[in-house]
Short mmCIF file of all heavy atoms in Angstrom, two decimals:
data_model
loop_
_atom_site.label_atom_id
_atom_site.label_comp_id
_atom_site.label_asym_id
_atom_site.label_seq_id
_atom_site.Cartn_x
_atom_site.Cartn_y
_atom_site.Cartn_z
N LYS Y 629 -5.97 -50.03 44.25
CA LYS Y 629 -5.54 -51.15 45.07
C LYS Y 629 -4.18 -50.81 45.71
O LYS Y 629 -3.53 -49.85 45.28
CB LYS Y 629 -5.39 -52.47 44.21
CG LYS Y 629 -4.27 -52.39 43.26
CD LYS Y 629 -4.16 -53.75 42.52
CE LYS Y 629 -3.00 -53.70 41.50
NZ LYS Y 629 -2.90 -54.92 40.57
N LYS Y 630 -3.82 -51.52 46.73
CA LYS Y 630 -2.56 -51.25 47.40
C LYS Y 630 -1.46 -51.69 46.46
O LYS Y 630 -1.48 -52.70 45.80
CB LYS Y 630 -2.45 -52.05 48.76
CG LYS Y 630 -3.36 -51.47 49.82
CD LYS Y 630 -3.10 -52.14 51.16
CE LYS Y 630 -3.91 -51.50 52.24
NZ LYS Y 630 -3.54 -52.11 53.66
N ILE Y 631 -0.35 -50.81 46.45
CA ILE Y 631 0.80 -51.07 45.58
C ILE Y 631 1.40 -52.40 45.88
O ILE Y 631 1.87 -53.10 45.00
CB ILE Y 631 1.75 -49.90 45.72
CG1 ILE Y 631 1.17 -48.67 45.11
CG2 ILE Y 631 3.12 -50.27 45.13
CD1 ILE Y 631 1.99 -47.42 45.43
N GLY Y 632 1.50 -52.83 47.22
CA GLY Y 632 2.08 -54.03 47.60
C GLY Y 632 1.29 -55.23 47.38
O GLY Y 632 1.78 -56.39 47.51
N LYS Y 633 -0.06 -55.07 46.93
CA LYS Y 633 -0.87 -56.32 46.85
C LYS Y 633 -0.36 -57.32 45.94
O LYS Y 633 -0.37 -58.50 46.34
CB LYS Y 633 -2.24 -55.88 46.40
CG LYS Y 633 -3.31 -56.98 46.37
CD LYS Y 633 -4.63 -56.48 45.96
CE LYS Y 633 -5.61 -57.68 45.86
NZ LYS Y 633 -6.99 -57.24 45.42
N GLU Y 634 0.16 -56.99 44.77
CA GLU Y 634 0.64 -57.97 43.79
C GLU Y 634 2.09 -57.72 43.34
O GLU Y 634 2.48 -58.29 42.34
CB GLU Y 634 -0.31 -57.94 42.55
CG GLU Y 634 -1.72 -58.42 42.98
CD GLU Y 634 -2.67 -58.39 41.71
OE1 GLU Y 634 -3.06 -57.25 41.33
OE2 GLU Y 634 -3.01 -59.44 41.18
N ILE Y 635 2.78 -56.76 44.03
CA ILE Y 635 4.13 -56.39 43.49
C ILE Y 635 5.12 -57.50 43.50
O ILE Y 635 6.06 -57.56 42.73
CB ILE Y 635 4.60 -55.15 44.34
CG1 ILE Y 635 5.72 -54.43 43.62
CG2 ILE Y 635 5.15 -55.67 45.70
CD1 ILE Y 635 6.16 -53.13 44.24
N GLY Y 636 4.90 -58.63 44.30
CA GLY Y 636 5.76 -59.75 44.39
C GLY Y 636 5.19 -60.93 43.63
O GLY Y 636 5.63 -62.08 43.82
N ALA Y 637 4.21 -60.68 42.77
CA ALA Y 637 3.44 -61.82 42.05
C ALA Y 637 4.46 -62.54 41.05
O ALA Y 637 5.48 -61.98 40.64
CB ALA Y 637 2.25 -61.27 41.25
N ASP Y 638 4.14 -63.83 40.85
CA ASP Y 638 4.89 -64.59 39.89
C ASP Y 638 4.50 -64.14 38.42
O ASP Y 638 3.73 -64.85 37.81
CB ASP Y 638 4.60 -66.07 40.15
CG ASP Y 638 5.44 -66.98 39.26
OD1 ASP Y 638 6.41 -66.46 38.66
OD2 ASP Y 638 5.17 -68.20 39.27
N PHE Y 639 5.03 -63.00 38.00
CA PHE Y 639 4.68 -62.41 36.80
C PHE Y 639 5.97 -61.88 36.14
O PHE Y 639 6.70 -61.15 36.80
CB PHE Y 639 3.68 -61.28 36.98
CG PHE Y 639 3.07 -60.71 35.84
CD1 PHE Y 639 2.17 -61.40 35.01
CD2 PHE Y 639 3.32 -59.38 35.43
CE1 PHE Y 639 1.63 -60.82 33.81
CE2 PHE Y 639 2.80 -58.86 34.30
CZ PHE Y 639 1.97 -59.54 33.53
N GLU Y 640 6.20 -62.34 34.90
CA GLU Y 640 7.53 -62.07 34.30
C GLU Y 640 7.87 -60.64 34.30
O GLU Y 640 9.06 -60.24 34.58
CB GLU Y 640 7.51 -62.60 32.85
CG GLU Y 640 8.92 -62.47 32.16
CD GLU Y 640 8.85 -63.02 30.78
OE1 GLU Y 640 8.02 -62.50 29.91
OE2 GLU Y 640 9.66 -63.85 30.51
N GLN Y 641 6.95 -59.72 33.98
CA GLN Y 641 7.18 -58.30 33.95
C GLN Y 641 7.72 -57.76 35.24
O GLN Y 641 8.69 -56.96 35.31
CB GLN Y 641 6.04 -57.50 33.41
CG GLN Y 641 5.69 -57.75 31.96
CD GLN Y 641 6.78 -57.15 31.08
OE1 GLN Y 641 7.16 -55.95 31.17
NE2 GLN Y 641 7.39 -57.94 30.19
N LEU Y 642 7.19 -58.21 36.37
CA LEU Y 642 7.55 -57.76 37.69
C LEU Y 642 8.88 -58.38 38.07
O LEU Y 642 9.68 -57.70 38.68
CB LEU Y 642 6.48 -58.10 38.75
CG LEU Y 642 5.17 -57.40 38.49
CD1 LEU Y 642 4.15 -57.89 39.64
CD2 LEU Y 642 5.27 -55.92 38.54
N LYS Y 643 9.19 -59.55 37.65
CA LYS Y 643 10.41 -60.18 37.94
C LYS Y 643 11.55 -59.48 37.22
O LYS Y 643 12.62 -59.23 37.73
CB LYS Y 643 10.46 -61.68 37.51
CG LYS Y 643 9.53 -62.54 38.42
CD LYS Y 643 9.60 -64.03 38.01
CE LYS Y 643 8.85 -64.85 39.01
NZ LYS Y 643 8.86 -66.29 38.65
N PHE Y 644 11.31 -59.09 35.90
CA PHE Y 644 12.26 -58.40 35.16
C PHE Y 644 12.76 -57.09 35.82
O PHE Y 644 13.93 -56.75 35.84
CB PHE Y 644 11.81 -58.00 33.76
CG PHE Y 644 11.79 -59.06 32.70
CD1 PHE Y 644 11.10 -59.05 31.58
CD2 PHE Y 644 12.64 -60.25 32.89
CE1 PHE Y 644 11.09 -60.03 30.60
CE2 PHE Y 644 12.59 -61.18 31.94
CZ PHE Y 644 11.91 -61.17 30.81
N ALA Y 645 11.86 -56.35 36.40
CA ALA Y 645 12.06 -54.97 36.91
C ALA Y 645 12.10 -54.95 38.33
O ALA Y 645 12.28 -53.85 38.97
CB ALA Y 645 10.93 -54.07 36.44
N GLY Y 646 12.11 -56.09 39.05
CA GLY Y 646 12.14 -56.11 40.55
C GLY Y 646 10.87 -55.47 41.22
O GLY Y 646 10.99 -55.01 42.37
N GLY Y 647 9.81 -55.47 40.46
CA GLY Y 647 8.61 -54.77 40.88
C GLY Y 647 8.04 -53.88 39.82
O GLY Y 647 8.37 -54.04 38.66
N TYR Y 648 7.24 -52.86 40.21
CA TYR Y 648 6.68 -52.03 39.21
C TYR Y 648 7.77 -50.92 38.78
O TYR Y 648 8.27 -50.17 39.60
CB TYR Y 648 5.43 -51.27 39.76
CG TYR Y 648 4.34 -52.17 40.08
CD1 TYR Y 648 3.85 -52.43 41.33
CD2 TYR Y 648 3.59 -52.85 39.05
CE1 TYR Y 648 2.85 -53.22 41.67
CE2 TYR Y 648 2.54 -53.71 39.30
CZ TYR Y 648 2.11 -53.91 40.60
OH TYR Y 648 1.09 -54.73 40.89
N ASP Y 649 7.98 -50.97 37.48
CA ASP Y 649 8.81 -49.90 36.84
C ASP Y 649 8.48 -49.99 35.35
O ASP Y 649 9.30 -50.40 34.52
CB ASP Y 649 10.29 -50.13 37.05
CG ASP Y 649 11.16 -48.99 36.58
OD1 ASP Y 649 10.53 -47.97 36.23
OD2 ASP Y 649 12.46 -49.12 36.51
N HIS Y 650 7.21 -49.53 35.02
CA HIS Y 650 6.71 -49.70 33.65
C HIS Y 650 5.95 -48.53 33.23
O HIS Y 650 5.56 -47.63 34.08
CB HIS Y 650 5.88 -50.98 33.58
CG HIS Y 650 6.47 -52.21 33.90
ND1 HIS Y 650 6.72 -52.59 35.23
CD2 HIS Y 650 6.90 -53.21 33.18
CE1 HIS Y 650 7.32 -53.88 35.28
NE2 HIS Y 650 7.42 -54.24 34.02
N ASN Y 651 5.73 -48.44 31.89
CA ASN Y 651 5.04 -47.30 31.35
C ASN Y 651 3.52 -47.84 31.14
O ASN Y 651 3.30 -48.81 30.45
CB ASN Y 651 5.61 -46.99 29.95
CG ASN Y 651 4.76 -45.93 29.22
OD1 ASN Y 651 4.53 -44.88 29.55
ND2 ASN Y 651 4.13 -46.45 28.12
N TRP Y 652 2.56 -46.95 31.58
CA TRP Y 652 1.19 -47.25 31.34
C TRP Y 652 0.68 -46.36 30.23
O TRP Y 652 1.05 -45.14 30.16
CB TRP Y 652 0.36 -47.01 32.65
CG TRP Y 652 0.25 -48.19 33.55
CD1 TRP Y 652 -0.84 -49.08 33.71
CD2 TRP Y 652 1.27 -48.79 34.40
NE1 TRP Y 652 -0.52 -50.10 34.59
CE2 TRP Y 652 0.72 -49.94 34.97
CE3 TRP Y 652 2.53 -48.45 34.67
CZ2 TRP Y 652 1.45 -50.76 35.88
CZ3 TRP Y 652 3.33 -49.25 35.52
CH2 TRP Y 652 2.76 -50.39 36.16
N VAL Y 653 -0.05 -46.87 29.38
CA VAL Y 653 -0.59 -46.17 28.21
C VAL Y 653 -1.93 -45.54 28.58
O VAL Y 653 -2.91 -46.25 28.84
CB VAL Y 653 -0.83 -47.14 27.06
CG1 VAL Y 653 -1.43 -46.43 25.80
CG2 VAL Y 653 0.46 -47.84 26.66
N LEU Y 654 -1.97 -44.24 28.76
CA LEU Y 654 -3.16 -43.57 29.29
C LEU Y 654 -4.39 -43.57 28.32
O LEU Y 654 -4.25 -43.28 27.20
CB LEU Y 654 -2.76 -42.11 29.70
CG LEU Y 654 -1.59 -42.01 30.70
CD1 LEU Y 654 -1.20 -40.58 30.95
CD2 LEU Y 654 -2.04 -42.74 31.99
N ASP Y 655 -5.45 -43.94 28.90
CA ASP Y 655 -6.70 -44.06 28.14
C ASP Y 655 -7.11 -42.66 27.58
O ASP Y 655 -7.09 -41.64 28.24
CB ASP Y 655 -7.80 -44.66 28.99
CG ASP Y 655 -7.60 -46.07 29.31
OD1 ASP Y 655 -6.73 -46.76 28.59
OD2 ASP Y 655 -8.30 -46.62 30.19
N GLN Y 656 -7.65 -42.65 26.36
CA GLN Y 656 -8.22 -41.52 25.82
C GLN Y 656 -7.38 -40.40 25.67
O GLN Y 656 -7.79 -39.15 25.87
CB GLN Y 656 -9.57 -41.20 26.51
CG GLN Y 656 -10.61 -42.32 26.53
CD GLN Y 656 -11.86 -41.98 27.46
OE1 GLN Y 656 -11.85 -41.05 28.15
NE2 GLN Y 656 -12.85 -42.86 27.24
N TRP Y 657 -6.10 -40.64 25.43
CA TRP Y 657 -5.09 -39.48 25.29
C TRP Y 657 -5.39 -38.71 24.06
O TRP Y 657 -5.59 -39.21 22.94
CB TRP Y 657 -3.72 -40.05 25.27
CG TRP Y 657 -2.74 -38.95 24.90
CD1 TRP Y 657 -2.42 -37.87 25.75
CD2 TRP Y 657 -1.92 -38.85 23.73
NE1 TRP Y 657 -1.48 -37.11 25.12
CE2 TRP Y 657 -1.13 -37.60 23.91
CE3 TRP Y 657 -1.77 -39.55 22.59
CZ2 TRP Y 657 -0.23 -37.23 22.96
CZ3 TRP Y 657 -0.83 -39.21 21.63
CH2 TRP Y 657 -0.11 -37.99 21.83
#
Side-chain angles (χ1 to χ4, degrees):
K629 68 180 180 184
K630 287 187 176 182
I631 290 169
K633 181 178 180 180
E634 297 178 286
I635 200 169
D638 185 11
F639 187 69
E640 184 179 59
Q641 287 295 305
L642 296 178
K643 290 182 176 181
F644 279 164
Y648 295 112
D649 187 11
H650 298 79
N651 171 70
W652 272 257
V653 179
L654 300 175
D655 290 345
Q656 301 174 349
W657 173 65

